[in-house]
Amino acid sequence: MQPIEKLESEKIVAKNQIALQTVMNKLQLINKELSVREGRILIHNISGRIKEPNSIKVKLRKKGCEENYETALEVINDIIGARAVCYYMDDLYLVADVLNTHKDMEIIKIKNYMEHPKKTGYRSLHLIVKLMIPYGGKQEMVKVEIQLRTFAMDYWAVLDHQLRYKKENTDNDSEKIEKELMDYADSLESIDKKMMKLRNKIAKI
Ligand code: 0O2
């Protein structure tokens, strides 16, 4: 077993950066392709990050797993993570459908937190993919998590992340705050749905 710090080796960092860039490029190209097909832009912005070893250790600890490199690769899906923020809810499926046609990539898991929100209120469409990248003269397989969100889902998740997500709150108020955040996530979903209906109504005029 090797230490988590192996992720900081030059070779692994380069491989992960290539994988992240490849996925972000794919999302950019899909945005081009879909904008021609649908007659409007679907993705507002694309971002990505490689998870820090410390953050990986915390996540492994939370999952009750051993803190080593091999376990991290096996159980942590989002060591490499890309995110596309879309305009409307149905855009998430259109983007996912095109990604599914890419031959150098296999979707190995879909977590549909749009259909089945987490109990926090979190909504998003997560695709865990295995991506083939050319590296060191051969094809290497790398796991990447792609998060597809609407503006509203992203707005909620970013604020939730800042306010609560990574904090251990034992305060008496925390239950109330969690309920409030959940209610706001529901309200944003309702606006998301209304905006999509409005877009369709305007398109028919
Ligand atoms: P960070 O800092 O964003 O990277 P599992 O697949 O269940 O074994 P995992 O990876 O926790 O374990 O899966 P999950 O629940 O699909 O979450 C992956 C990521 O989704 C998280 O990564 C967050 O980015 C986001 N996420 C999930 N739940 C919430 C939530 O309640 N609020 C917010 N703001 N984001 C959420 P990380 O590594 O936990 O965090």
Side-chain angles (χ1 to χ4, degrees), residues 77-78 106-111 126-130 143-146:
N77 291 323
D78 66 341
E106 186 195 353
I107 300 176
I108 54 170
K109 200 181 208 178
I110 299 177
K111 292 183 176 182
H126 290 190
L127 308 176
I128 320 299
V129 305
K130 270 193 173 163
K143 197 162 56 168
V144 181
E145 181 183 83
I146 305 175

Side-chain angles (χ1 to χ4, degrees), residues 134-149:
Y135 189 76
K138 49 184 178 145
Q139 293 293 316
E140 292 249 2
M141 198 76 110
V142 186
K143 197 162 56 168
V144 181
E145 181 183 83
I146 305 175
Q147 297 184 346
L148 304 172
R149 296 175 177 172

Side-chain angles (χ1 to χ4, degrees), residues 49 51 59 63 111 113 118 120 157 160 165-166:
R49 61 102 186 92
K51 214 176 187 68
K59 201 159 179 175
K63 286 175 179 281
K111 292 183 176 182
Y113 298 129
K118 294 189 90 164
T120 54
D160 174 64
Y165 184 53
K166 296 237 159 153

